[in-house]
Amino acid sequence: MSEQKTVNAFKSLFTPLKLRHKTLRNRIVFGSHTANMAENGLPGERHRGYYEERARGGAAMIVVEPVPVHATAVLTRGNFRHGSDEIIPHFRKITDAVHDHGAVICHQLYHVGQHGDFDNSYAPSWSPSGLPSFHDSDGSHAMTEREIEEIIESYVQAARRAQESGFDGIELFAAYNALIDQFWLPFNNRRTDQWGGSFENRMRFSRTLMERIRRQVGDDFIIGLAVNMDPSTKVSQSIEQLQEIVGYHDKRQLMDYVTCGTGGYFNFGDIIPNVFSADKLGAPHAEALKHVVSFAKVQCESHIRTPENADYVISSGQADTVSIVRGQIADPHLANKAKEGRSEDVRPCLSCNQMCWGRRYRDYWISCLINPSAGREFEWGGDRFERAEKPKSVLVIGGGVAGLECARVAAERGHKVRLVEAGPKLGGQFRLAGNQPRRGQILDYIDWLERQLMQLQVQIDRNTYIEADEVAAFGADEVIVATGSNPDGNGFQRAMPEFDVLPGIENGNVTSAEEVMAKAARVGKTVLLLDETANWKGSGTALYLAQTGHKVILVTQAASVMFEMARTNADLPMRQNLRTLGVEMHTETMVQHWTGSGATLKSFGGEPFEIKADTLVIASTNKPEDSIARELGLDGIGDAVAARNAAMAIYEGRKRGMSI
Ligand SMILES: Cc1cc2nc3c(=O)[nH]c(=O)nc-3n(C[C@H](O)[C@H](O)[C@H](O)COP(=O)(O)O)c2cc1C
Ligand code: SF4
């Protein structure tokens, strides 16, 4: 597509929009998400760098992560301080920086009601009717009328602080079953006083606090409302009920925009869609809300991912704006690249959730698997590179993602880069992951890397295996060893650490997950898959084998299949898919002995039992391919140092590329 055509194609997306007293320069919003970056409850440089980079990258509006409104609302270690004016001067640095780049900035206010986290709040959770949490087994406290009043006032004061901090507005979190929507839903709200019962009474909490916030902040301040749709749950609201609720608030002109997410605390997986989810997940819900509003703008959320999807949502009239969260974590310059007709240069989010939600889940500040500058913008100068003072010639040995990222960054900085790869294709182990079912977005990312290298005129030599003693002949000023890793092949299991090698492995008919995904293995009808890693490597290979007609028996020492990926939300759909395909799953189980045509299995504390299988496929931690690095006395990057996941390889590739 020519540049002119692409720009025209995104005309709707880049049409400005008036939102209360502000004009958004386009329709792309960096929606609210807990980046979890506060230190001691205060926003700092990590925050500033993170949000400023997305404003510089062209987002029209940024909605900063939620401020808990009250002691009972604190949810994460990186939450902002609640109820304190001390945050104001710190926020001011962020709002100034974002305004300098022409973006509008709001922040979210939240209270998750019954689903609080005592480990961080050290306070009981408050809710309309004292129902238990869906995050853990804690119960909650049914608020008295005095306590309801206290919470409303805490919202008003939080909005005041936002205004004094230079924000253009606030967004009220009434999504996924938080406090506000707990008041809306008969399931959560079983009160018999003025705050419960009739529809009007259940709306009283949100209406009162929105009216009071408006009185506090005046006319020139945006008030947004974040809601959600979760059709998978009987107790959540239907789309008709949500339309009625949104229509009620719109009729009273209580909010300037409404943004609709997917999933909820009863169905966490759809909140942050993964590779098993459809694109544009929230579009039908946004469209339904468009039918009932006459005052508020409607924002579509959830798995919009690309400028093409975003433009479709806007041009087809499904919504007025789109929130693209992970798409802009992965590429903070998504908006500008799309505007310039360079959408093929947008680094494409993988929907992997590994370093964004996966890190938030573990209560760290968030980053990105393919964009390690996320969260480090303040130390690395954003997702941009400075030209090196002295251009050098650089030889990168190995075309896995560590080598590719290193080559890209070195070339961006003006070095003359040559990359040699032993095999015919680039991408290394990550390409094999991309061959697994549902994981084609990984191949899109490898294509993106290849395109960037071509544009940067990196010389790429495929099918070029070199030995350590040949390296000098390349005459490079800098040599980077990114030779990756290989399957260990010994079947070591953490559950049987006394055995370096799986007993009976010499009986044959054994292969690795890597060989299966490279389509380089002969695999029999019935497969025993030893899944030592409990992540995508084992399960994704099992899914591939089951889909291609094999009977699969999966054995893992972990408590559940995909245990390591629970923090990405992909574990549950993976298990459901495996179950549907008839995969036999044995958790907390080890392979005691392989015979070549079957095995002895034993669950922890159970009795050994025999199974029949034609092939044993091992998915376990690789061993580094570090011979060249050792012979040359070089440090190496990525798996060549220690076999880990792709995030570490890409991080080390980026860091090494920046250091040359
Ligand atoms: C790490 C992370 C934290 C999130 N935290 C919040 C939050 O605090 N409030 C909220 O309304 N949505 C939150 N979300 C959901 C996003 O706003 C968004 O709905 C979701 O990521 C799907 O959109 P996307 O496909 O554009 O990423 C979070 C998402 C991520 C990835
Ligand atoms: S970690 Fe994965 S899902 Fe999250 S933003 Fe990066 S690529 Fe997207």
PDB file of all heavy atoms in Angstrom, residues 272-273 325-331 348-358 367-371 441, ligand 2:
ATOM      1  N   ILE A 272      -7.928  -8.955  29.997  1.00  0.00           N
ATOM      2  CA  ILE A 272      -6.715  -8.673  29.215  1.00  0.00           C
ATOM      3  C   ILE A 272      -6.563  -9.843  28.243  1.00  0.00           C
ATOM      4  O   ILE A 272      -5.898 -10.837  28.539  1.00  0.00           O
ATOM      5  CB  ILE A 272      -5.504  -8.519  30.145  1.00  0.00           C
ATOM      6  CG1 ILE A 272      -5.807  -7.443  31.202  1.00  0.00           C
ATOM      7  CG2 ILE A 272      -4.255  -8.124  29.360  1.00  0.00           C
ATOM      8  CD1 ILE A 272      -5.015  -7.577  32.456  1.00  0.00           C
ATOM      9  N   PRO A 273      -7.223  -9.728  27.082  1.00  0.00           N
ATOM     10  CA  PRO A 273      -7.339 -10.878  26.181  1.00  0.00           C
ATOM     11  C   PRO A 273      -5.977 -11.456  25.785  1.00  0.00           C
ATOM     12  O   PRO A 273      -4.995 -10.723  25.659  1.00  0.00           O
ATOM     13  CB  PRO A 273      -8.044 -10.295  24.960  1.00  0.00           C
ATOM     14  CG  PRO A 273      -8.700  -9.053  25.435  1.00  0.00           C
ATOM     15  CD  PRO A 273      -7.856  -8.528  26.546  1.00  0.00           C
ATOM     16  N   VAL A 325      -4.122  -0.327  24.797  1.00  0.00           N
ATOM     17  CA  VAL A 325      -3.193  -0.361  25.930  1.00  0.00           C
ATOM     18  C   VAL A 325      -1.932  -1.115  25.532  1.00  0.00           C
ATOM     19  O   VAL A 325      -0.869  -0.539  25.319  1.00  0.00           O
ATOM     20  CB  VAL A 325      -3.854  -0.961  27.187  1.00  0.00           C
ATOM     21  CG1 VAL A 325      -2.831  -1.165  28.303  1.00  0.00           C
ATOM     22  CG2 VAL A 325      -4.961  -0.027  27.683  1.00  0.00           C
ATOM     23  N   ARG A 326      -2.054  -2.442  25.374  1.00  0.00           N
ATOM     24  CA  ARG A 326      -0.822  -3.209  25.148  1.00  0.00           C
ATOM     25  C   ARG A 326      -0.168  -2.871  23.806  1.00  0.00           C
ATOM     26  O   ARG A 326       1.056  -2.906  23.688  1.00  0.00           O
ATOM     27  CB  ARG A 326      -1.121  -4.699  25.281  1.00  0.00           C
ATOM     28  CG  ARG A 326      -1.379  -5.085  26.745  1.00  0.00           C
ATOM     29  CD  ARG A 326      -1.991  -6.439  26.841  1.00  0.00           C
ATOM     30  NE  ARG A 326      -3.238  -6.504  26.127  1.00  0.00           N
ATOM     31  CZ  ARG A 326      -3.850  -7.623  25.765  1.00  0.00           C
ATOM     32  NH1 ARG A 326      -3.307  -8.777  26.053  1.00  0.00           N
ATOM     33  NH2 ARG A 326      -5.007  -7.596  25.127  1.00  0.00           N
ATOM     34  N   GLY A 327      -1.000  -2.492  22.828  1.00  0.00           N
ATOM     35  CA  GLY A 327      -0.424  -2.089  21.542  1.00  0.00           C
ATOM     36  C   GLY A 327       0.539  -0.927  21.702  1.00  0.00           C
ATOM     37  O   GLY A 327       1.553  -0.841  20.993  1.00  0.00           O
ATOM     38  N   GLN A 328       0.225  -0.036  22.658  1.00  0.00           N
ATOM     39  CA  GLN A 328       1.107   1.125  22.861  1.00  0.00           C
ATOM     40  C   GLN A 328       2.151   0.872  23.959  1.00  0.00           C
ATOM     41  O   GLN A 328       3.090   1.651  24.096  1.00  0.00           O
ATOM     42  CB  GLN A 328       0.288   2.373  23.173  1.00  0.00           C
ATOM     43  CG  GLN A 328      -0.544   2.807  21.966  1.00  0.00           C
ATOM     44  CD  GLN A 328      -1.297   4.091  22.218  1.00  0.00           C
ATOM     45  OE1 GLN A 328      -0.789   5.172  21.909  1.00  0.00           O
ATOM     46  NE2 GLN A 328      -2.495   3.993  22.769  1.00  0.00           N
ATOM     47  N   ILE A 329       1.970  -0.200  24.738  1.00  0.00           N
ATOM     48  CA  ILE A 329       3.081  -0.604  25.607  1.00  0.00           C
ATOM     49  C   ILE A 329       4.171  -1.175  24.695  1.00  0.00           C
ATOM     50  O   ILE A 329       5.350  -0.840  24.808  1.00  0.00           O
ATOM     51  CB  ILE A 329       2.643  -1.660  26.648  1.00  0.00           C
ATOM     52  CG1 ILE A 329       1.569  -1.113  27.583  1.00  0.00           C
ATOM     53  CG2 ILE A 329       3.843  -2.148  27.449  1.00  0.00           C
ATOM     54  CD1 ILE A 329       1.014  -2.132  28.591  1.00  0.00           C
ATOM     55  N   ALA A 330       3.738  -2.014  23.751  1.00  0.00           N
ATOM     56  CA  ALA A 330       4.694  -2.668  22.843  1.00  0.00           C
ATOM     57  C   ALA A 330       5.340  -1.665  21.894  1.00  0.00           C
ATOM     58  O   ALA A 330       6.514  -1.785  21.554  1.00  0.00           O
ATOM     59  CB  ALA A 330       3.996  -3.769  22.058  1.00  0.00           C
ATOM     60  N   ASP A 331       4.563  -0.688  21.437  1.00  0.00           N
ATOM     61  CA  ASP A 331       5.136   0.364  20.588  1.00  0.00           C
ATOM     62  C   ASP A 331       4.540   1.708  20.969  1.00  0.00           C
ATOM     63  O   ASP A 331       3.429   2.055  20.541  1.00  0.00           O
ATOM     64  CB  ASP A 331       4.905   0.087  19.101  1.00  0.00           C
ATOM     65  CG  ASP A 331       5.773   1.010  18.251  1.00  0.00           C
ATOM     66  OD1 ASP A 331       6.119   2.120  18.730  1.00  0.00           O
ATOM     67  OD2 ASP A 331       6.138   0.637  17.129  1.00  0.00           O
ATOM     68  N   PRO A 348       4.554  -5.140  16.726  1.00  0.00           N
ATOM     69  CA  PRO A 348       3.220  -5.686  17.027  1.00  0.00           C
ATOM     70  C   PRO A 348       3.153  -6.458  18.345  1.00  0.00           C
ATOM     71  O   PRO A 348       3.866  -7.440  18.550  1.00  0.00           O
ATOM     72  CB  PRO A 348       2.967  -6.636  15.841  1.00  0.00           C
ATOM     73  CG  PRO A 348       4.330  -7.087  15.418  1.00  0.00           C
ATOM     74  CD  PRO A 348       5.316  -6.000  15.790  1.00  0.00           C
ATOM     75  N   CYS A 349       2.254  -6.007  19.222  1.00  0.00           N
ATOM     76  CA  CYS A 349       2.030  -6.695  20.506  1.00  0.00           C
ATOM     77  C   CYS A 349       1.680  -8.163  20.253  1.00  0.00           C
ATOM     78  O   CYS A 349       0.974  -8.491  19.309  1.00  0.00           O
ATOM     79  CB  CYS A 349       0.888  -5.996  21.235  1.00  0.00           C
ATOM     80  SG  CYS A 349       0.234  -6.933  22.636  1.00  0.00           S
ATOM     81  N   LEU A 350       2.177  -9.040  21.116  1.00  0.00           N
ATOM     82  CA  LEU A 350       1.978 -10.476  20.930  1.00  0.00           C
ATOM     83  C   LEU A 350       0.747 -11.019  21.651  1.00  0.00           C
ATOM     84  O   LEU A 350       0.482 -12.226  21.571  1.00  0.00           O
ATOM     85  CB  LEU A 350       3.199 -11.242  21.463  1.00  0.00           C
ATOM     86  CG  LEU A 350       4.580 -10.849  20.955  1.00  0.00           C
ATOM     87  CD1 LEU A 350       5.632 -11.754  21.593  1.00  0.00           C
ATOM     88  CD2 LEU A 350       4.633 -10.963  19.440  1.00  0.00           C
ATOM     89  N   SER A 351       0.050 -10.183  22.409  1.00  0.00           N
ATOM     90  CA  SER A 351      -1.057 -10.659  23.275  1.00  0.00           C
ATOM     91  C   SER A 351      -0.580 -11.777  24.204  1.00  0.00           C
ATOM     92  O   SER A 351      -1.347 -12.675  24.569  1.00  0.00           O
ATOM     93  CB  SER A 351      -2.255 -11.170  22.446  1.00  0.00           C
ATOM     94  OG  SER A 351      -2.633 -10.232  21.482  1.00  0.00           O
ATOM     95  N   CYS A 352       0.699 -11.713  24.577  1.00  0.00           N
ATOM     96  CA  CYS A 352       1.279 -12.790  25.399  1.00  0.00           C
ATOM     97  C   CYS A 352       1.050 -12.549  26.890  1.00  0.00           C
ATOM     98  O   CYS A 352       1.070 -13.491  27.690  1.00  0.00           O
ATOM     99  CB  CYS A 352       2.776 -12.907  25.122  1.00  0.00           C
ATOM    100  SG  CYS A 352       3.729 -11.485  25.703  1.00  0.00           S
ATOM    101  N   ASN A 353       0.879 -11.298  27.276  1.00  0.00           N
ATOM    102  CA  ASN A 353       0.653 -10.890  28.683  1.00  0.00           C
ATOM    103  C   ASN A 353       1.806 -11.248  29.615  1.00  0.00           C
ATOM    104  O   ASN A 353       1.646 -11.168  30.840  1.00  0.00           O
ATOM    105  CB  ASN A 353      -0.646 -11.500  29.237  1.00  0.00           C
ATOM    106  CG  ASN A 353      -1.869 -10.869  28.615  1.00  0.00           C
ATOM    107  OD1 ASN A 353      -1.764  -9.837  27.965  1.00  0.00           O
ATOM    108  ND2 ASN A 353      -3.018 -11.477  28.786  1.00  0.00           N
ATOM    109  N   GLN A 354       2.949 -11.625  29.070  1.00  0.00           N
ATOM    110  CA  GLN A 354       4.000 -12.147  29.936  1.00  0.00           C
ATOM    111  C   GLN A 354       4.695 -11.078  30.784  1.00  0.00           C
ATOM    112  O   GLN A 354       4.975 -11.317  31.949  1.00  0.00           O
ATOM    113  CB  GLN A 354       5.034 -12.923  29.102  1.00  0.00           C
ATOM    114  CG  GLN A 354       4.553 -14.328  28.806  1.00  0.00           C
ATOM    115  CD  GLN A 354       5.504 -15.125  27.944  1.00  0.00           C
ATOM    116  OE1 GLN A 354       5.140 -15.551  26.861  1.00  0.00           O
ATOM    117  NE2 GLN A 354       6.715 -15.316  28.402  1.00  0.00           N
ATOM    118  N   MET A 355       4.964  -9.933  30.183  1.00  0.00           N
ATOM    119  CA  MET A 355       5.723  -8.924  30.927  1.00  0.00           C
ATOM    120  C   MET A 355       4.883  -7.710  31.318  1.00  0.00           C
ATOM    121  O   MET A 355       5.335  -6.875  32.087  1.00  0.00           O
ATOM    122  CB  MET A 355       6.937  -8.462  30.117  1.00  0.00           C
ATOM    123  CG  MET A 355       7.961  -9.561  29.882  1.00  0.00           C
ATOM    124  SD  MET A 355       8.764 -10.110  31.403  1.00  0.00           S
ATOM    125  CE  MET A 355      10.001  -8.829  31.605  1.00  0.00           C
ATOM    126  N   CYS A 356       3.676  -7.591  30.785  1.00  0.00           N
ATOM    127  CA  CYS A 356       2.805  -6.490  31.227  1.00  0.00           C
ATOM    128  C   CYS A 356       1.936  -7.025  32.365  1.00  0.00           C
ATOM    129  O   CYS A 356       2.285  -6.888  33.537  1.00  0.00           O
ATOM    130  CB  CYS A 356       2.000  -5.920  30.058  1.00  0.00           C
ATOM    131  SG  CYS A 356       1.054  -7.138  29.132  1.00  0.00           S
ATOM    132  N   TRP A 357       0.858  -7.727  32.016  1.00  0.00           N
ATOM    133  CA  TRP A 357       0.014  -8.272  33.084  1.00  0.00           C
ATOM    134  C   TRP A 357       0.800  -9.276  33.941  1.00  0.00           C
ATOM    135  O   TRP A 357       0.636  -9.336  35.169  1.00  0.00           O
ATOM    136  CB  TRP A 357      -1.256  -8.911  32.504  1.00  0.00           C
ATOM    137  CG  TRP A 357      -2.068  -9.502  33.600  1.00  0.00           C
ATOM    138  CD1 TRP A 357      -2.316 -10.820  33.812  1.00  0.00           C
ATOM    139  CD2 TRP A 357      -2.665  -8.796  34.696  1.00  0.00           C
ATOM    140  NE1 TRP A 357      -3.043 -10.987  34.962  1.00  0.00           N
ATOM    141  CE2 TRP A 357      -3.273  -9.753  35.528  1.00  0.00           C
ATOM    142  CE3 TRP A 357      -2.740  -7.442  35.049  1.00  0.00           C
ATOM    143  CZ2 TRP A 357      -3.955  -9.413  36.689  1.00  0.00           C
ATOM    144  CZ3 TRP A 357      -3.413  -7.099  36.215  1.00  0.00           C
ATOM    145  CH2 TRP A 357      -4.010  -8.067  37.019  1.00  0.00           C
ATOM    146  N   GLY A 358       1.671 -10.055  33.318  1.00  0.00           N
ATOM    147  CA  GLY A 358       2.439 -11.058  34.063  1.00  0.00           C
ATOM    148  C   GLY A 358       3.264 -10.450  35.184  1.00  0.00           C
ATOM    149  O   GLY A 358       3.419 -11.036  36.252  1.00  0.00           O
ATOM    150  N   SER A 367       6.387  -4.146  32.272  1.00  0.00           N
ATOM    151  CA  SER A 367       7.252  -3.895  31.127  1.00  0.00           C
ATOM    152  C   SER A 367       6.647  -4.605  29.915  1.00  0.00           C
ATOM    153  O   SER A 367       5.440  -4.829  29.882  1.00  0.00           O
ATOM    154  CB  SER A 367       8.679  -4.348  31.416  1.00  0.00           C
ATOM    155  OG  SER A 367       9.540  -3.888  30.382  1.00  0.00           O
ATOM    156  N   CYS A 368       7.472  -4.969  28.950  1.00  0.00           N
ATOM    157  CA  CYS A 368       6.956  -5.618  27.745  1.00  0.00           C
ATOM    158  C   CYS A 368       7.972  -6.618  27.231  1.00  0.00           C
ATOM    159  O   CYS A 368       9.177  -6.326  27.200  1.00  0.00           O
ATOM    160  CB  CYS A 368       6.669  -4.561  26.680  1.00  0.00           C
ATOM    161  SG  CYS A 368       6.185  -5.273  25.101  1.00  0.00           S
ATOM    162  N   LEU A 369       7.498  -7.760  26.799  1.00  0.00           N
ATOM    163  CA  LEU A 369       8.397  -8.809  26.319  1.00  0.00           C
ATOM    164  C   LEU A 369       9.210  -8.337  25.108  1.00  0.00           C
ATOM    165  O   LEU A 369      10.402  -8.598  25.012  1.00  0.00           O
ATOM    166  CB  LEU A 369       7.569 -10.052  25.966  1.00  0.00           C
ATOM    167  CG  LEU A 369       8.341 -11.337  25.684  1.00  0.00           C
ATOM    168  CD1 LEU A 369       7.534 -12.539  26.152  1.00  0.00           C
ATOM    169  CD2 LEU A 369       8.658 -11.514  24.211  1.00  0.00           C
ATOM    170  N   ILE A 370       8.537  -7.634  24.185  1.00  0.00           N
ATOM    171  CA  ILE A 370       9.242  -7.255  22.952  1.00  0.00           C
ATOM    172  C   ILE A 370       9.736  -5.812  22.986  1.00  0.00           C
ATOM    173  O   ILE A 370      10.451  -5.393  22.083  1.00  0.00           O
ATOM    174  CB  ILE A 370       8.356  -7.482  21.707  1.00  0.00           C
ATOM    175  CG1 ILE A 370       7.028  -6.730  21.813  1.00  0.00           C
ATOM    176  CG2 ILE A 370       8.114  -8.972  21.501  1.00  0.00           C
ATOM    177  CD1 ILE A 370       6.172  -6.817  20.565  1.00  0.00           C
ATOM    178  N   ASN A 371       9.338  -5.062  24.005  1.00  0.00           N
ATOM    179  CA  ASN A 371       9.825  -3.684  24.142  1.00  0.00           C
ATOM    180  C   ASN A 371      10.352  -3.480  25.560  1.00  0.00           C
ATOM    181  O   ASN A 371       9.661  -2.936  26.420  1.00  0.00           O
ATOM    182  CB  ASN A 371       8.710  -2.678  23.849  1.00  0.00           C
ATOM    183  CG  ASN A 371       9.170  -1.252  24.155  1.00  0.00           C
ATOM    184  OD1 ASN A 371      10.373  -0.962  24.188  1.00  0.00           O
ATOM    185  ND2 ASN A 371       8.210  -0.377  24.396  1.00  0.00           N
ATOM    186  N   GLN A 441       1.208 -14.550  16.064  1.00  0.00           N
ATOM    187  CA  GLN A 441       1.645 -13.159  16.273  1.00  0.00           C
ATOM    188  C   GLN A 441       3.156 -13.096  16.524  1.00  0.00           C
ATOM    189  O   GLN A 441       3.780 -12.077  16.267  1.00  0.00           O
ATOM    190  CB  GLN A 441       0.882 -12.530  17.449  1.00  0.00           C
ATOM    191  CG  GLN A 441      -0.565 -12.163  17.092  1.00  0.00           C
ATOM    192  CD  GLN A 441      -1.392 -11.755  18.304  1.00  0.00           C
ATOM    193  OE1 GLN A 441      -2.387 -12.399  18.621  1.00  0.00           O
ATOM    194  NE2 GLN A 441      -1.008 -10.703  18.989  1.00  0.00           N
TER     195      GLN A 441
HETATM  196  S1  SF4 B   2       4.271  -8.159  27.196  1.00  0.00           S
HETATM  197 FE1  SF4 B   2       3.261  -9.185  25.480  1.00  0.00          FE
HETATM  198  S2  SF4 B   2       1.076  -8.674  25.700  1.00  0.00           S
HETATM  199 FE2  SF4 B   2       2.207  -7.293  27.033  1.00  0.00          FE
HETATM  200  S3  SF4 B   2       2.456  -5.478  25.751  1.00  0.00           S
HETATM  201 FE3  SF4 B   2       4.290  -6.712  25.486  1.00  0.00          FE
HETATM  202  S4  SF4 B   2       3.920  -8.003  23.709  1.00  0.00           S
HETATM  203 FE4  SF4 B   2       1.944  -7.149  24.343  1.00  0.00          FE
END
